[in-house]
Amino acid sequence: EIFMVHLHGIKLDGEPDEFAGRLAGLTPGFTGADIANICNEGAIVAARRKGDSVTVDDFEKATDRVVGGLESTKIMSKEEQSIVAHHEAGHAIAGWFLEHADPLLKVTIIPRSSGALGYAQYLPKEVFLRTEEQIMHIVMMALAGRAAEEVFFGEVTTGASDDFRRVT
């Protein structure tokens, strides 16, 4: 319903109800201000590409921008790109096999202005109580990027620092 408020007045490439449902799935736990930002950014993305209307792809790009910041112009070496890719793949693979891990929504290795060299976005489950096993699955998925670095490269980088912050 909140998306219907913020989508009002935006020329969409489809029915507002369809956009609202899709965007709600992309933005779990977002505040009203975050949702307003995504709707505005989606319109800006469409205007930049000189589109006649705002598409789902425009909103997906807007969501990436709101979640991770602008795409960065950082130039990473092939080795750094490989480390980031393996790190993010570690999260994704662990999440696939761990029953109680939050479902993965998206993984990217595009550097962002927020400082992130890549990130994994999850669809958090709406639960109020967790068992020890459920908590451990979330911790394992969070640390799987670091584990992947150690397995594939024999050492870990500072890229895992945000993962430690999330589990402590």
Side-chain angles (χ1 to χ4, degrees), residues 15-106:
E15 293 300 314
D17 288 345
E18 293 171 16
F19 276 83
R22 171 75 180 185
L23 290 170
L26 288 173
T27 57
F30 280 36
T31 65
D34 293 332
I35 290 168
N37 282 343
I38 287 172
C39 291
N40 291 334
E41 283 292 332
I44 291 168
V45 170
R48 283 189 180 132
R49 69 170 176 77
K50 298 180 178 23
D52 293 330
S53 59
V54 184
T55 66
V56 170
D57 189 52
D58 294 330
F59 284 119
E60 287 176 356
K61 289 177 181 170
T63 302
D64 287 347
R65 191 168 178 177
V66 170
V67 170
L70 295 169
E71 285 188 23
S72 174
T73 57
K74 291 177 186 161
I75 298 176
M76 294 194 311
S77 69
K78 292 287 185 198
E79 180 185 11
E80 289 171 321
Q81 290 173 355
S82 180
I83 291 168
V84 172
H86 281 80
H87 180 101
E88 297 306 334
H91 293 303
I93 292 167
W96 179 263
F97 288 104
L98 293 168
E99 176 185 0
H100 302 295
D102 291 337
L104 185 65
L105 187 61
K106 180 178 189 164

Side-chain angles (χ1 to χ4, degrees), residues 98-147:
L98 293 168
E99 176 185 0
H100 302 295
D102 291 337
L104 185 65
L105 187 61
K106 180 178 189 164
V107 175
T108 180
I109 60 168
I110 297 171
R112 297 284 170 174
S113 61
S114 64
L117 300 177
Y119 67 87
Q121 184 182 359
Y122 304 96
L123 188 62
K125 296 175 185 169
E126 293 191 25
V127 295
F128 298 102
L129 300 172
R130 294 188 191 266
T131 65
E132 182 179 354
E133 180 182 44
Q134 291 169 327
I135 292 168
M136 291 309 296
H137 282 195
I138 292 167
V139 170
M140 283 185 252
M141 184 172 64
L143 297 178
R146 181 184 190 282

